[in-house]
Amino acid sequence: MARQVARRLGLRLKGHIATFDAAINVTPSAVIQVKPGIGDVIWHLPFVRAIAAVSPGRQVTFLAPWTSGAKELLAAEPSVAETLYFAHSGSELRRGLYMLLLIARLRRRHFRQIWILDRTTRPAFAAKLAGIPERIGLGLGRQQSYITNPGIDQSHFHDQPIDWLIALMAAMNVPLPTTEPDLPVPAATLAKIGEMYKSHLRPWIVLGIGASHPDKDWSDMRWLEFLANLRRRCDGTIFLIGGPQNHARARDLIEHTVGTAAVNACDLTLIEVVALLRLADLFIGTDSGPMNLAVAAATDAFALFGATPVLKYSKFIHPIVPEGGPSPGGMKRISPAAVLAQVKPLLSRVKNPK
């Protein structure tokens, strides 16, 4: 039916959205996470593990938007049996179609239980129409009508999302041992990255350039000033990451600065980036996907929170904020000199000395 609707509407769907699964049941329990970012996968992971620990087989099926990179990131995660992608954003017309596709996918998987890790209504509604008998959610706002648990107190409505989930775990009596993500990396990938850069001097310092929104990023001039000073003061190797979209930017920054070795690593795959960060000694960057990946790799991350609330889910997050705290335009009030002053004592530290 969803395919027929799509044809009638003349919508072009990506292959990963239009592909339907075989009528199989890999796990009876599913977890759905609607946020689109790479970092969203990371900070949700401890909650996914907690849910899997009380689920049959101690595994769940994880559903997330394709933009999250969840399939690659969670390929070695033992609590996730499989990752499925779905779409839910766009015009009302597209969102309606995407919900039909999600209903069809959920129905064909024969899940007995689903956890909705957000206060949004559509996934809960889709799960009800798909006939999933146990639908566990936050129950904030209209979602309450489509879940089967009481939800959390409405006083949490304006809390941070991580606080919603902490409250949900408590309400459902699900132990949450930690909020540290500690993402597993395949040994082969670690070995590959270690071999690729074995000739590069320590310490390895990784810069995460770019962000999901311009308000969360530094300007090119700020990055240029910071990298120029860092290359003069560091005796190891500096790696720039930020994905293919920042490859040309990283190249230009490196070409216009001098000093210690700098490597444009923006062409690494997601899991290769995690491997590099696992091997790295220090991360410096914006509030972004790379920062969350550094935290997941148990590497100290000095993160610039200029315009966004400080994340507190991990001991590896070391926030750098403008005077007066994060606020609109706050990234302009964080100077390269101030950041360098904070990280300078760690520029010669090696995380795992031989």
Side-chain angles (χ1 to χ4, degrees):
M1 177 179 177
R3 287 178 181 274
Q4 294 172 350
V5 173
R7 283 195 293 267
R8 289 172 187 168
L9 295 177
L11 294 179
R12 297 175 60 191
L13 300 178
K14 295 179 184 289
H16 63 265
I17 297 172
T19 299
F20 283 81
D21 305 296
I24 59 174
N25 185 6
V26 174
T27 63
S29 298
V31 175
I32 187 165
Q33 191 281 113
V34 303
K35 291 181 170 57
I38 292 169
D40 297 313
V41 173
I42 298 304
W43 73 259
H44 277 91
L45 184 53
F47 298 97
V48 175
R49 289 182 180 136
I51 294 166
V54 298
S55 299
R58 300 180 67 85
Q59 286 190 314
V60 296
T61 295
F62 185 65
L63 293 96
W66 69 271
T67 52
S68 68
K71 282 190 178 182
E72 184 178 355
L73 290 173
L74 302 181
E77 170 55 43
S79 68
V80 176
E82 63 173 344
T83 299
L84 303 176
Y85 285 150
F86 73 99
H88 69 105
S89 60
S91 66
E92 281 298 314
L93 190 63
R94 286 182 179 273
R95 292 172 70 187
L97 174 60
Y98 292 152
M99 188 165 69
L100 291 176
L101 292 168
L102 178 60
I103 293 167
R105 165 161 278 187
L106 294 175
R107 184 175 291 145
R108 291 177 68 85
R109 306 300 288 199
H110 303 295
F111 295 119
R112 302 300 301 166
Q113 178 191 78
I114 189 167
W115 292 70
I116 300 105
L117 301 187
D118 195 82
R119 69 185 187 189
T120 188
T121 301
R122 288 174 183 263
F125 182 55
K128 182 173 183 178
L129 292 184
I132 299 176
E134 190 175 3
R135 304 175 300 278
I136 300 170
L138 301 168
L140 297 174
R142 292 183 300 165
Q143 189 193 86
Q144 182 62 62
S145 302
Y146 307 112
I147 61 175
T148 56
N149 65 306
I152 63 176
D153 194 273
Q154 295 297 312
S155 63
H156 291 287
F157 192 88
H158 295 293
D159 287 355
Q160 293 295 316
I162 194 168
D163 295 320
W164 295 340
L165 299 188
I166 291 172
L168 180 61
M169 298 300 106
M172 297 300 296
N173 295 313
V174 173
L176 180 67
T178 180
T179 57
E180 292 289 350
D182 194 18
L183 185 69
V185 183
T189 308
L190 275 173
K192 174 185 175 182
I193 296 301
E195 180 67 21
M196 184 184 301
Y197 298 122
K198 67 179 182 180
S199 64
H200 290 73
L201 294 177
R202 293 278 185 174
W204 289 2
I205 298 174
V206 179
L207 298 190
I209 62 175
S212 58
H213 192 279
D215 288 346
K216 298 168 67 174
D217 197 6
W218 255 349
S219 67
D220 287 349
M221 290 303 297
R222 289 290 178 104
W223 276 118
L224 190 67
E225 178 184 345
F226 182 75
L227 181 59
N229 289 325
L230 186 62
R231 292 187 73 180
R232 287 196 294 267
R233 286 167 172 77
C234 176
D235 295 324
T237 304
I238 300 168
F239 298 84
L240 278 67
I241 63 173
Q245 67 274 21
N246 282 295
H247 190 278
R249 187 184 191 192
R251 179 199 63 213
D252 291 343
L253 289 171
I254 292 171
E255 288 180 353
H256 288 87
T257 55
V258 295
T260 195
V263 176
N264 185 350
C266 289
D267 56 352
L268 295 179
T269 67
L270 270 180
I271 200 62
E272 288 172 346
V273 167
V274 181
L276 173 62
L277 288 163
R278 182 72 74 173
L279 297 170
D281 301 297
L282 182 66
F283 172 88
I284 307 163
T286 58
D287 172 18
S288 60
M291 182 276 292
N292 287 280
L293 294 180
V295 170
T299 294
D300 285 316
F302 283 79
L304 282 59
F305 291 90
T308 50
V310 172
L311 298 176
K312 301 177 181 179
Y313 69 84
S314 171
K315 66 182 180 182
F316 294 103
I317 298 175
H318 306 282
I320 298 176
V321 301
E323 186 175 353
S327 62
M331 288 297 290
K332 296 177 182 178
R333 294 186 285 112
I334 300 178
S335 71
V339 176
L340 190 62
Q342 289 205 40
V343 302
K344 188 176 179 180
L346 298 175
L347 294 182
S348 299
R349 187 195 69 171
V350 176
K351 182 173 67 174
N352 296 311
K354 299 288 186 179

